[in-house]
Every structure is written in structure tokens, then in C-alpha cells.
Amino acid sequence: MERYETLAYDTALSTLVAVLIYVLVKLSVDGYRHWRARARVLVVGSGPVGLTAALIAARSGKVQRLVLLEERCRTALLARPQQIALDSRSVRFLLGLGVDFDNMEGCWHNEHFFTKVGVFQEYLLSLLEKRKQELDIQIHLGTKFTEEYLKKIPTSEFPRVIVVCDGSCGESSSVLGISSDYIVESCNAYGANAALERADQRQVPTPEIRAHSLYFDLSAYGVEFASSNKEAQGLQSSALKSGSHLKIYGTFRNRYMALACPMSDSKVVKFLRHTPNSSVAALTLG
């Protein structure tokens, strides 16, 4: 009886040791594979999109090294006065990335957060700086992405993933040998922008002012409507149905106005297409 007990004990012990060895080996192999699977990532451009992409990569746990390139120096990058508006969906997404809007200069309006582009970029840069203790992150401001830059990277350190976020006028794609021809999807609308700078005001973000389904009286430009004219009534109805959109935004110092008119063949829209260049710039924004 004692011999069977000893045999059972030895069998159980051997099985336990074998299971432990298997688990340790599997964990080691999985860890090594995970380490090997981590990618070296290069992000070109440190605008809001580029910085957000870099922050997502840094928090993914799948990046071995993250390099961020920006052609502009830090002063020029963070001094941009333009305003950025983040809707509720964007806010929820950024909260998941660790963005604390309570510690960022800006204001709330209708579940939207408004701040300057430079303020938003500076905050995301600070988050990336904090991640340097956990991850190999290199931020190179004032460095342009060129063929010479790529040639200087050793083959063993060449990035597996390159994310280009240098704007619609950027030239980084051509450096990678990618055609600069893009598929452009029309939004079926015409647009115009105007800007006003008031040097005596501060750079304080302000909520957006929006107006939709607008009708513009362009009688001063030769477009008149008469209620007795059926054709004119049809044009007026078409103009009202098209519903132009107006948005005023920016800071107290830099005010911007954007006008969007849905594409149509009405005389009103045709006149609006040709008049902004000579008249919109003269508008006074409140």
C-alpha cells in the first residue's frame, strides 16, 4: 500500500513539475514573441492628428521605439493662434488616452471643447514626454523628413510603420515614393473663409457661433426676387432649400468666419461662388 502511495505521489509531483515547466516555457516564448512583434514607429508631423497618432501608438503596448518628426521649431509650433473645436465624441476618445481637459486652457460650449491649436499640441507633447520613462520615445522638432534623413537610419533600426500627418500640402509622401495623387471626395458644397485680427484683444478661445439654413439677399449684386414672378419664386425656394451654413469662431484676437453653400445650379449659389473673393474679406466679424 505504501508503495502505491509513493508511486502516486511521485506521479503527481512529476506532472506538477511538467506543467510548471510548460507554463514557464510558454510564457517565455510568448513574451519573446510579443517583444519581437513590437514595431518601430515613425510619425511625421506634430499637428493635432500626428500627436494623437503618436499618443495612441505609445499607449498601445506594441511599440518598441517611437520617433516623432516636426519641421517647425517648438516656438513656431506652439504659437499657432487658430482654434480647434472638439466634439463630444472626440472628447470621449481623448479622455481614454489620458487627456485631462480640466487641466487644459479652453472653454466648454454645447458639449464641445474649444482651445487654441498650440495649447492642444503643447498638452499632447507633455503627455508624450511623460511616457519617455516607460518607452523609447524620441521627439525631434525642427527636423524635416527627407530622403537624407531616411538614409541615415541604420537598417536594423528602420521603422516598420511610418505615419505621415503633415497636412494636405505636405511633401512627405513623395519621399516615400508614394504618388501625391489623392482620391478627393466632394462634399458637394462651396466654401469661403474670412479672418479678422484685433491686436488689442487677448488670445482667449471663444465658443463657436453657428447658423444653418440661411437665405442671403444678394440684390446688391444684381440678384433680385419678385413674389409675382413664378420663376423667381422657384429660385428663391431652391435657395432656401439649399440651406447655407455660417460659422464664426476663433479667439478674441483672431476671429474667423466660414461660409458653406450646398452645391446647386441656382443663381444665388452661382453668385455666391464669385462674390466672396471681393466681398467676404471686407466683412466685420463681431
Side-chain angles (χ1 to χ4, degrees), residues 90-123:
S90 300
V91 168
R92 289 194 299 269
F93 179 78
L94 291 169
L95 285 172
L97 295 178
V99 176
D100 184 3
F101 290 95
D102 293 334
N103 290 324
M104 186 188 307
E105 177 188 351
C107 63
W108 293 92
H109 182 70
N110 291 337
E111 297 184 354
H112 286 61
F113 185 79
F114 300 90
T115 185
K116 291 191 296 183
V117 174
V119 171
F120 184 70
Q121 291 172 299
E122 184 175 17
Y123 186 87

Side-chain angles (χ1 to χ4, degrees), residues 13 27 36 83 85 88-89 106 115 122 133 152 175 179 187 195 202 208 236 242 244 246-247 251 254 258 281:
L13 183 61
L27 289 176
R36 289 280 297 176
Q83 179 173 275
S88 56
R89 182 179 179 183
T115 185
E122 184 175 17
Q133 300 177 356
K152 293 180 181 178
V175 176
S179 174
C187 59
R202 295 181 299 168
E208 290 184 359
Q236 185 172 359
S242 63
S244 302
L246 179 68
K247 180 173 72 172
T251 63
N254 297 94

Side-chain angles (χ1 to χ4, degrees), residues 186-286:
S186 174
C187 59
N188 297 320
Y190 304 110
N193 288 281
L196 175 69
E197 181 177 2
R198 299 179 290 192
D200 59 324
Q201 299 292 329
R202 295 181 299 168
Q203 288 285 15
V204 178
T206 59
E208 290 184 359
I209 301 174
R210 299 182 182 183
H212 303 289
S213 301
L214 296 177
Y215 164 69
F216 294 93
D217 180 5
L218 300 181
S219 57
Y221 298 95
V223 180
E224 298 181 359
F225 298 106
S227 58
S228 60
N229 190 313
K230 293 183 178 180
E231 181 181 355
Q233 287 180 354
L235 288 174
Q236 185 172 359
S237 175
S238 174
L240 287 171
K241 186 177 180 180
S242 63
S244 302
H245 307 281
L246 179 68
K247 180 173 72 172
I248 300 176
Y249 59 100
T251 63
F252 283 128
R253 177 176 296 181
N254 297 94
R255 301 289 286 162
Y256 304 94
M257 183 180 73
L259 174 65
C261 303
M263 188 182 302
S264 71
D265 293 329
S266 68
K267 289 185 178 180
V268 172
V269 174
K270 288 181 179 179
F271 269 76
L272 283 174
R273 285 189 61 190
H274 298 291
T275 56
N277 290 336
S278 59
S279 60
V280 169
L283 291 175
T284 301
L285 306 181

